[in-house]
């Protein structure tokens, strides 16, 4: 089955959605991300949606779920690259994506992740020192 | 109102929802819709196609280019022979769902288009017609 690749970069996981996903691909991505956060102890997830020309309630729900689950697993989620037309449509559709951090592009998103997870990286470092 | 072009597609599989989005994208672009209007129409189509599949047990969508005086528009009619909707007012309320959704599909897509009509009879099926003018 078609799958969205997840890249691991140090403490972070990076996903670039490049296709119009059908619903099962969306659900699989959500499951894959959750298991990878847990398996790698990742502190941040960056989802690049700059290629998506629409976000409907299904994809919106997936993004919300990923943010909620990563929060429980002590990781932060940032969504980057949402197109202006998509943002306008999402608001009118009634999805607010509350609790989801957003940034204009990958660079700004990474900076946001670093700032948000700095404390945790230090904690991990301390943990290692004590071993 | 004149119909200058029409086509019909099946919605029986989850892949068909993707195909419906692609077709609506093509029709809306050909009509010269602005980027925001295209995005709204494709998003509404995606919501309604998924409802047709998930709740209506599958059905069809008819795409029509419509002309009324000087105005051109895109009209989509989603139809299924599923269980129907017992309480339309409830179904059209933000946040109301009988499934695992967010209950934003019907109410949200209504906000994304210029005209929205829904006819549903319990035990017979549901038909939703949306129009967006250029
Ligand atoms: N074609 C249909 N046939 C039967 N019932 C329907 C149909 N479309 C919608 N419904 C009913 O109306 C409710 C609201 O639909 P709506 O699309 O607003 O929300 P949802 O599909 O439950 O969630 P979301 O679209 O946010 O993922 C559905 O939960 C379902 O009970
Ligand atoms: Mg729905």
């Amino acid at each position: 089955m078609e799958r969205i690749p997840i890249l691991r970069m140090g403490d972070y996981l990076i996903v670039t959605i490049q296709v119009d996903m059908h619903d099962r691909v969306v659900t699989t991505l959500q499951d894959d991300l959750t298991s990878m956060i847990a398996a790698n102890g990742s502190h941040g997830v960056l989802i690049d949606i700059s290629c998506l020309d629409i976000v409907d309630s299904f994809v919106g729900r997936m993004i919300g779920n990923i943010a909620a689950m990563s929060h429980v697993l002590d990781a932060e989620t940032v969504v980057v690259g949402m197109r202006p037309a998509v943002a306008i449509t999402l608001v009118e559709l009634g999805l607010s994506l509350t609790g989801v951090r957003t940034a204009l592009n990958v660079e700004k998103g990474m900076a946001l992740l670093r700032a948000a997870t700095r404390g945790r990286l230090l904690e991990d470092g301390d943990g290692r020192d004590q071993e | 109102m004149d119909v200058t072009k029409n086509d019909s597609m099946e919605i029986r599989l989850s892949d068909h929802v993707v195909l419906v989005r692609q077709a609506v994208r093509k029709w809306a672009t050909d009509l010269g819709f602005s980027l925001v209007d295209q995005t709204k129409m494709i998003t509404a189509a995606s919501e309604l196609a998924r409802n047709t599949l998930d709740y209506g047990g599958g059905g069809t969508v008819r795409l029509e280019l419509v002309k009324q005086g000087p105005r051109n528009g895109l009209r989509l009619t989603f139809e299924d022979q599923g269980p129907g909707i017992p309480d339309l007012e409830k179904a059209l309320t933000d946040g109301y769902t009988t499934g695992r959704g967010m209950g934003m599909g019907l109410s949200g897509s209504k906000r994304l288009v210029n005209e929205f009509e829904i006819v549903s009879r319990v035990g017979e099926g549901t038909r939703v017609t949306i129009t967006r003018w250029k």
Side-chain angles (χ1 to χ4, degrees):
Chain A
M1 200 194 80
E2 205 186 325
R3 252 195 156 91
I4 310 288
I6 300 172
L7 302 181
R8 192 180 152 197
M9 212 176 99
D11 281 303
Y12 305 128
L13 300 176
I14 299 175
V15 181
T16 303
I17 301 171
Q18 275 168 330
V19 289
D20 186 344
M21 301 176 285
H22 84 57
D23 292 358
R24 235 172 312 125
V25 178
V26 176
T27 318
T28 306
L29 173 62
Q30 188 179 314
D31 294 346
D32 288 352
L33 263 175
T34 315
S35 22
M36 275 188 74
I37 296 170
N40 298 308
S42 306
H43 288 299
V45 177
L46 184 134
I47 306 173
D48 178 9
I49 60 164
S50 57
C51 291
L52 287 189
D53 64 1
I54 71 146
V55 170
D56 61 14
S57 65
F58 196 81
V59 172
R61 180 151 53 102
M62 179 269 295
I63 291 173
N65 286 349
I66 290 172
M69 283 189 289
S70 58
H71 185 73
V72 172
L73 295 168
D74 197 25
E76 296 286 336
T77 300
V78 176
V79 171
V80 306
M82 186 185 294
R83 299 182 185 184
V86 171
I88 293 169
T89 303
L90 261 184
V91 170
E92 211 152 313
L93 186 65
L95 300 193
S96 47
L97 293 188
T98 40
V100 180
R101 285 165 194 264
T102 53
L104 231 45
N105 53 39
V106 174
E107 215 179 333
K108 295 208 163 96
M110 284 307 290
L112 197 65
L113 269 188
R114 275 193 213 101
T117 59
R118 190 168 291 136
R120 271 168 243 177
L121 297 183
L122 287 176
E123 272 168 38
D124 276 12
D126 290 349
R128 258 176 239 131
D129 288 347
Q130 283 157 15
E131 273 168 15
Chain B
M1 188 152 41
D2 298 328
V3 176
T4 55
K5 183 182 165 191
N6 74 87
D7 194 11
S8 166
M9 299 173 76
E10 262 199 298
I11 308 174
R12 307 243 163 246
L13 303 165
S14 147
D15 302 77
H16 295 160
V17 177
V18 178
L19 295 179
V20 170
R21 283 200 291 262
Q22 284 168 4
V24 173
R25 183 176 296 128
K26 171 101 178 55
W27 284 52
T29 322
D30 289 353
L31 240 172
F33 272 14
S34 73
L35 194 55
V36 172
D37 285 357
Q38 280 175 43
T39 309
K40 288 182 178 176
M41 198 59 174
I42 302 166
T43 306
S46 185
E47 295 297 338
L48 298 175
R50 187 176 295 105
N51 281 354
T52 301
L53 182 67
D54 289 351
Y55 301 110
T60 55
V61 58
R62 192 167 70 245
L63 297 89
E64 293 167 305
L65 281 192
V66 288
K67 198 173 171 59
Q68 193 171 50
R71 294 198 297 180
N72 286 305
L74 178 55
R75 182 166 71 189
L76 307 174
T77 306
F78 296 82
E79 201 160 7
D80 65 65
Q81 276 75 50
I85 303 175
D87 188 338
L88 272 182
E89 203 183 316
K90 244 193 202 161
L92 277 163
T93 309
D94 277 357
Y96 176 82
T97 178
T98 58
R100 281 167 305 158
M102 292 192 293
M104 297 308 292
L106 276 182
S107 51
S109 49
K110 186 175 178 183
R111 285 189 288 269
L112 294 175
V113 298
N114 299 123
E115 283 159 38
F116 181 98
E117 190 197 57
I118 181 163
V119 180
S120 190
R121 284 197 189 82
V122 173
E124 289 179 32
T126 301
R127 189 179 69 224
V128 183
T129 307
I130 57 174
T131 311
R132 179 132 201 136
W133 297 102
K134 196 190 164 225

